[in-house]
Amino acid sequence: VDRESHISQLHEWGIYDFSFIDSDTDRYGGKTVNVNQDIDWKGKGIEILPDLGIYRVHGNFFVTGNRLKTLENSPVEVTMNYDCSYNIIDTLKGSGVQKVLKSFDCSHNRLKNLEGCPHVVLKKIYIKENSLESLQGIGSSEGIATVTPGATGSSYLANESLKEEIEIYRACTSHVDGKVLWNPALTFIENLEILINADPKVLEQEWKLLEHLRSKYRGLDISVRLGIV
């Protein structure tokens, strides 16, 4: 697409404050545009995000209340909030989004897991009202917001099998000696091993689901650290 046509496409989607960037390096993955405004595409009936070559949105990215099944063609970075709630998204794979500097809201969709979730989310990740079987793929953030109707605080009542993963995630994203230990490239059990190595007393001091963990991970190498016979 030539520059004039590209500008026309951006204008058609309500984007007027933007700049073109150098796309010759691998750093930008072929993306050519930085947007310097909020993008608000809420409730437009969108089924596929337009391929506008956006690398970074300096603002919010709102695509809630559409008919999206995937987040393909997402910006790579969003400096405020990314809200894709109330769609029919069944996978986050292929989105390409890597960093959200505030919150990422993928609640009220059809997700089975969180593979493809941004690896860096500096505030909360909202996941309620999905058909989650696992949190595998979740990025690193200050917290996971899983409030469900009738629940108090941040709790997840819809799927008992997620409780262990939520506890591991919360423990690993708490600061140990000033460091966040969660590594989204690893499994939950691998992250748990790193946590125990960093703080061997974490289980006896504060672990809420030790008995569940003992049952779930019996026979694995980590069983020695859990004191499982």
Side-chain angles (χ1 to χ4, degrees):
V1 179
D2 60 51
R3 183 62 58 88
E4 187 174 337
S5 296
H6 198 170
I7 291 172
S8 178
Q9 287 180 341
L10 290 165
H11 287 175
E12 286 175 10
W13 285 92
I15 300 171
Y16 296 93
D17 190 354
F18 59 87
S19 59
F20 287 99
I21 58 177
D22 180 5
S23 61
D24 294 335
T25 66
D26 292 337
R27 175 183 177 187
Y28 300 112
K31 303 286 188 177
T32 58
V33 176
N34 279 341
V35 174
N36 304 310
Q37 64 175 74
D38 290 344
I39 293 179
D40 188 350
W41 294 337
K42 294 194 294 286
K44 290 184 174 291
I46 301 170
E47 296 184 359
I48 301 173
L49 291 177
D51 185 4
L52 299 177
I54 298 171
Y55 180 79
R56 182 183 295 114
V57 174
H58 291 280
N60 296 296
F61 187 69
F62 296 138
V63 292
T64 186
N66 284 291
R67 300 288 296 169
L68 297 172
K69 293 184 178 180
T70 74
L71 294 178
E72 186 178 357
N73 299 325
S74 283
V76 177
E77 298 180 2
V78 175
T79 65
M80 297 289 281
N81 300 294
Y82 189 130
D83 189 346
C84 57
S85 60
Y86 292 94
N87 279 280
I88 52 175
I89 299 166
D90 55 22
T91 181
L92 298 177
K93 286 183 177 180
S95 71
V97 60
Q98 298 174 8
K99 185 184 296 183
V100 176
L101 299 188
K102 286 201 171 180
S103 295
F104 179 72
D105 189 347
C106 60
S107 57
H108 294 272
N109 277 288
R110 299 178 179 177
L111 297 171
K112 299 292 186 183
N113 58 53
L114 295 175
E115 293 181 15
C117 182
H119 278 190
V120 177
V121 178
L122 296 188
K123 293 296 182 182
K124 288 189 178 293
I125 298 174
Y126 293 88
I127 62 170
K128 66 181 180 178
E129 301 300 328
N130 278 285
S131 302
L132 289 169
E133 298 170 354
S134 171
L135 300 182
Q136 194 62 47
I138 195 169
S140 178
S141 78
E142 286 187 356
I144 179 171
T146 56
V147 178
T148 56
T152 57
S154 291
S155 59
Y156 197 98
L157 304 178
N159 191 336
E160 291 288 323
S161 67
L162 295 181
K163 282 189 174 182
E164 292 91 346
E165 294 186 351
I166 289 171
E167 290 297 333
I168 293 170
Y169 179 79
R170 285 181 172 151
C172 288
T173 51
S174 297
H175 291 269
V176 177
D177 294 330
K179 297 179 181 178
V180 175
L181 299 177
W182 179 258
N183 183 341
L186 301 179
T187 65
F188 280 85
I189 194 67
E190 288 168 337
N191 274 291
L192 180 57
E193 288 186 284
I194 291 172
L195 173 64
I196 294 171
N197 284 329
D199 184 5
K201 295 183 178 180
V202 64
L203 291 176
E204 62 186 71
Q205 288 176 344
E206 60 182 272
W207 206 262
K208 299 175 183 178
L209 296 166
L210 181 55
E211 291 305 316
H212 293 283
L213 289 165
R214 283 180 172 163
S215 174
K216 188 170 184 177
Y217 299 125
R218 188 180 303 279
L220 299 180
D221 290 341
I222 198 171
S223 64
V224 177
R225 296 189 180 278
L226 291 174
I228 303 170
V229 178

